[in-house]
Structures are given as structure tokens and as C-alpha cells.
């Protein structure tokens, strides 16, 4: 049977009419691919990387860091530092070293200087060990009238010029023998160059430190390598600066000349009492006059140096800084001396209170201490010059 007269063929629906003037275009038929055959539009997304002949997709473009106002880069968040114990200790050590360096420089450039050591014909040759000349002068320089009254020093006219209340030679050996602190009584009759024979302390008022050094070198035969001087006011200020010095006094000391009244027993001496303690020789506690006075001076210096070098002073700001501020005005050194020389002296003298230092006076012939025992004093000076042990028979306490 036939439909529509197509001669028995299959029926095909009629195509829509094309606009006139346009050629008819044929579009190929698209068929959905069967599973497993042909390409899929999702193949590019699902194909594994590293396939043969294929490159991995490029990385995403790098984005610029966020910017703050006006196009400035935004600051990165700061990482908090962790302070480890080793780093803290290293920082504290560095601060301590810088502090010590500052103190060292301060003292080096603030301590007063004087030309005390001079070369001259006939000067003793350098021998073993190192010798310091330590002088305690009765200079009132820098003291007000109130200070003079408080310290009972008297005025300059009473003193008859600047003299020395204390003359000591500190010998520091180069070997294992003990250091020696030797007192030279101030009334000792010696030859003063250019002035004949007179009291040794007159050399200071006649020609200052340089003449005193020359006089001591001539009388002892020891070459003086370093010089240190301290006055009345400076001594008292140092003692007050470290909070006083602990001393044990054997007998009551009542001296009308120095206006002190110190009771027997262990106590802390302030600057005024300490100055009286090292000066007094007119009391029942000092029957040998100047010999007892120089013995008290050595005893006090040992206690003071030990206390100055103690942790209680160096680590206590209420003692350390007053000491530091008073030292430059109190001390006078030779122009060639330095702070490290002074530190070496202090370290050597720390053993005075513990019998680690030999303390003695030049052997004399009488209690007036005006004349030296020539034989014994020569043995003493020879021992110091040769760094040998001081014979017990020449030690005078």
C-alpha cells in the first residue's frame, strides 16, 4: 500500500521552506558518544597529569601582598621572640661588662694625678716585686669650716703646712711569699735631700710628693714604683660611702687632740670616728704613741679594704655608688699609674685581716720612733728587695 503517492517509499516529514535567496545548508548530525568510544568534553578536566605528550596545567598567578593605605605594603605580622635562658645570661653578662668598662673609664679619667716619681742620679735600681708608697696627708683642701669642725682636723695654720700623718710602703712580691705592709713612723729622723736630717714627714711639706718619694727611696734603698695619696676629707668620705667600717677596739680610746671617744668592743666606725682612730696617739689605748698609731692604721686599712672588696659593698648600690663618687676626690696617684695598678694593690692587701700580709713597722731603737735600728732595718729592706721572707726577728707590731 502506498501513501501520498511516493511510489511505495517510506514516509518522510516535509522540511520547512528556506528563505529565498539563501542556499540551503546541511548540518551534520551529532550523536552522543557511546560509553568507551570517542571524546568527551570533560576529558580535559579528568585526564590524569603526566600523561604522555601532555603538560601539567600552569600554576595560578602569584598574587601581590595586600597593601595598606596609599598603596604601601601591609606589614607582616611580627613573630614573638622567645627569650631562652642562655640568651638572657649572655645579655646580662654583656650589660655587666659594659658597666664595668664605664666605671673603669670614669675612674681612669677622674682620679687626680701628680708627678711623684722622677728619675735622678743615684736612684735605687729596680729589684724584685713592686713597691707602693701610700701616703695619708693632713691636707684640709676642699673641707669647709663645718667639715673641719666635724672631723676635728683643725685648720691649716694649726697644722703648719701640709704634712703626712701616714707613710707606708706596700711591697707586692713576684713570687709566693706574702705581701708586706711596712709603716714608716712620721717622726723618723732621716736625710731629706737638700734639707739635711729632719723628720721624714717634713719632706712632704718641703717639696711635695716627689721629694717625699726621693727621701723614702734614699732611706730604705727601695725603688718606689707607684704612688697613692689620700687626704682627711677623702678618707672620711670613703668610710661613710661604704656605710662605715666594722672594727673591734681593744681598749677605750679617749683622745683630747682628735676629740674622739670610742668605747672598747666590736662596732661600726663612721668617717669621723675612723679618722680619729687612725690619728690618735694621746690616749691610754696607745701607750707607745706613734708605734701604736701606725699599728692601728694597718689594722684599719686591712678591715676597710676587705669591706670595700666584699659582695656586700660591690653589689649594694647604696654603698657602691657613694664609694664610686667619692673615690676620685679622695685619691691622688702618680701620672704614670692606672686603675688596674690600684686594683692589684687592693687585691694584694685584702689579706691583712687574715694574716695573709706581713704587717710591720721599721725597727726602731726607742718608743719615740725617731731613730731606726740600722742592722734590723737593713735586714728588712734586703728581704723586700730580694722577694724573700721577712725574718721574724725584725718584725715590729
Amino acid at each position: 500500500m502506498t501513501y501520498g503517492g511516493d511510489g511505495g517509499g517510506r514516509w518522510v516529514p516535509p522540511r520547512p521552506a528556506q528563505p529565498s535567496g539563501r542556499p540551503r545548508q546541511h548540518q551534520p548530525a551529532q550523536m552522543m558518544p557511546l560509553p568507551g568510544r570517542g571524546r568527551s568534553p570533560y576529558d580535559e578536566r579528568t585526564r590524569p597529569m603526566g600523561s604522555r605528550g601532555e603538560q601539567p596545567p600552569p600554576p595560578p598567578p602569584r598574587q601581590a601582598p595586600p597593601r595598606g593605605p596609599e598603596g604601601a605594603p601591609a606589614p607582616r605580622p611580627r613573630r614573638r621572640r622567645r627569650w631562652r635562658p642562655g640568651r638572657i645570661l649572655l645579655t646580662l653578662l654583656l650589660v655587666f661588662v659594659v658597666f664595668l668598662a664605664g666605671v673603669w673609664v670614669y675612674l681612669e679619667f677622674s682620679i687626680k694625678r701628680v708627678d711623684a716619681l722622677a728619675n735622678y742620679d743615684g736612684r735605687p735600681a729596680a729589684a724584685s716585686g713592686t713597691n707602693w708608697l701610700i701616703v695619708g696627708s693632713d691636707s684640709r683642701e676642699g673641707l669647709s669650716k663645718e667639715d673641719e669642725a666635724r672631723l676635728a682636723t683643725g685648720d691649716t695654720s694649726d697644722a703648719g703646712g701640709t704634712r703626712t700623718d701616714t707613710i707606708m710602703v706596700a711591697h707586692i712580691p713576684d713570687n709566693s711569699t706574702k705581701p708586706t705592709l711596712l709603716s714608716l713612723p712620721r717622726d723618723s729622723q732621716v736625710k731629706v735631700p737638700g734639707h739635711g736630717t729632719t723628720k721624714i714627714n717634713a719632706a712632704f711639706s718641703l717639696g711635695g710628693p716627689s721629694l717625699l718619694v726621693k727621701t723614702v727611696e734614699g732611706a730604705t734603698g727601695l725603688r718606689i714604683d707607684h704612688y697613692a695619696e689620700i687626704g682627711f676629707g677623702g678618707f672620711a668620705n670613703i668610710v661613710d660611702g661604704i656605710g662605715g667600717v666594722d672594727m673591734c677596739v681593744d681598749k677605750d680610746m679617749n683622745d683630747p687632740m682628735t676629740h674622739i671617744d670610742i668605747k672598747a668592743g666590736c662596732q661600726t666606725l663612721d668617717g669621723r670616728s675612723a679618722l680619729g682612730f687612725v690619728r690618735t696617739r694621746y690616749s691610754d689605748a696607745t701607750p707607745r704613741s706613734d708605734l701604736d698609731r701606725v699599728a692601728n692604721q694597718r689594722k684599719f686599712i686591712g678591715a676597710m679594704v676587705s669591706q670595700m672588696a666584699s659582695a656586700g659593698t660591690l653589689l649594694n648600690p647604696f654603698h657602691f655608688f657613694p664609694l664610686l663618687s667619692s673615690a676620685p676626690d679622695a685619691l691622688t696617684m702618680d701620672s704614670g699609674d692606672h686603675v688596674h695598678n690600684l686594683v692589684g694593690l687592693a687585691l694584694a692587701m685584702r689579706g691583712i685581716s687574715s694574716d695573709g700580709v706581713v704587717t710591720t713597722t721599721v725597727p726602731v731603737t726607742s718608743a719615740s720612733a725617731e731613730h731606726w735600728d740600722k742592722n734590723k732595718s737593713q735586714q728588712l729592706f734586703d728581704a723586700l728587695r730580694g722577694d724573700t721572707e721577712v725574718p721574724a726577728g725584725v718584725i715590729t707590731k
Side-chain angles (χ1 to χ4, degrees):
M1 184 183 326
T2 62
Y3 295 90
D6 59 356
R10 188 181 57 177
W11 182 84
V12 178
R15 295 186 178 90
Q18 296 291 333
S20 59
R22 290 187 179 180
R24 185 177 179 179
Q25 296 180 355
H26 298 274
Q27 296 183 354
Q30 295 183 358
M31 300 180 64
M32 295 295 294
L34 297 176
R37 295 184 182 181
R39 296 184 61 183
S40 167
Y42 300 96
D43 285 349
E44 295 298 332
R45 298 185 181 181
T46 59
R47 180 173 291 119
M49 296 177 62
S51 301
R52 182 180 301 177
E54 302 255 350
Q55 296 294 333
R62 186 175 182 179
Q63 296 182 355
R67 295 183 175 272
E70 299 182 1
R76 293 184 178 181
R78 298 182 63 179
R79 297 179 59 186
R80 297 180 62 183
R81 294 183 178 180
R82 294 184 178 179
W83 289 92
R84 300 176 180 176
R87 182 177 295 176
I88 294 176
L89 292 177
L90 182 61
T91 302
L92 293 177
L93 178 61
L94 180 61
V95 171
F96 180 70
V97 170
V98 172
F99 173 73
L100 285 184
V103 170
W104 199 282
V105 172
Y106 166 72
L107 292 176
E108 186 70 40
F109 289 97
S110 58
I111 292 178
K112 292 178 290 186
R113 311 288 174 143
V114 64
D115 292 327
L117 307 178
N119 289 319
Y120 56 87
D121 294 337
R123 187 182 185 190
S128 301
T130 301
N131 297 312
W132 279 82
L133 181 61
I134 304 173
V135 175
S137 73
D138 61 3
S139 172
R140 279 83 169 160
E141 181 181 357
L143 294 180
S144 64
K145 293 297 183 181
E146 292 76 12
D147 291 333
E148 291 178 357
R150 178 177 62 88
L151 299 177
T153 64
D155 57 25
T156 305
S157 60
D158 293 338
T162 302
R163 294 175 181 260
T164 53
D165 263 18
T166 305
I167 305 174
M168 295 181 178
V169 173
H171 177 78
I172 305 174
D174 292 332
N175 52 30
S176 60
T177 59
K178 292 181 179 180
T180 301
L181 185 62
L182 171 66
S183 296
L184 308 181
R186 63 179 237 167
D187 292 337
S188 300
Q189 295 286 329
V190 297
K191 291 182 178 180
V192 178
H195 300 276
T197 300
T198 185
K199 293 181 179 180
I200 193 172
N201 72 331
F204 191 85
S205 61
L206 293 172
S210 60
L211 182 59
L212 179 61
V213 169
K214 190 174 182 179
T215 299
V216 171
E217 289 182 335
T220 64
L222 300 173
R223 186 186 183 99
I224 301 301
D225 304 295
H226 304 284
Y227 176 84
E229 176 190 333
I230 184 170
F232 276 173
F235 177 83
N237 289 337
I238 287 179
V239 173
D240 288 334
I242 61 177
V245 174
D246 298 331
M247 286 291 299
C248 290
V249 181
D250 297 330
K251 298 179 181 180
D252 292 349
M253 301 180 71
N254 190 342
D255 187 354
M257 297 295 294
T258 56
H259 303 283
I260 65 166
D261 185 9
I262 302 175
K263 301 301 181 182
C266 295
Q267 57 199 286
T268 300
L269 300 181
D270 61 8
R272 182 187 183 282
S273 299
L275 185 59
F277 178 80
V278 299
R279 292 181 62 209
T280 188
R281 58 174 174 170
Y282 299 106
S283 72
D284 294 337
T286 55
R288 299 185 303 163
S289 186
D290 207 35
L291 292 179
D292 285 327
R293 178 170 70 167
V294 295
N296 286 338
Q297 290 173 352
R298 296 192 299 266
K299 181 179 179 180
F300 186 86
I301 288 177
M304 183 174 68
V305 171
S306 297
Q307 192 161 325
M308 289 171 60
S310 67
T313 298
L314 298 179
L315 299 180
N316 187 341
F318 296 102
H319 291 164
F320 178 77
F321 288 105
L323 171 63
L324 189 64
S325 62
S326 61
D329 293 331
L331 288 173
T332 300
M333 299 173 62
D334 180 69
S335 56
D337 291 332
H338 302 282
V339 174
H340 68 269
N341 302 125
L342 196 62
V343 172
L345 172 66
L347 293 176
M349 294 295 107
R350 284 188 308 170
I352 294 177
S353 57
S354 59
D355 293 330
V357 176
V358 176
T359 60
T360 184
T361 305
V362 174
V364 295
T365 59
S366 64
S368 65
E370 292 184 359
H371 302 286
W372 296 354
D373 186 307
K374 292 183 179 179
N375 292 331
K376 290 184 177 181
S377 60
Q378 192 59 52
Q379 293 179 51
L380 172 62
F381 299 145
D382 289 343
L384 298 182
R385 191 181 301 108
D387 264 1
T388 58
E389 185 177 352
V390 177
V394 304
I395 296 177
T396 302
K397 293 297 185 180

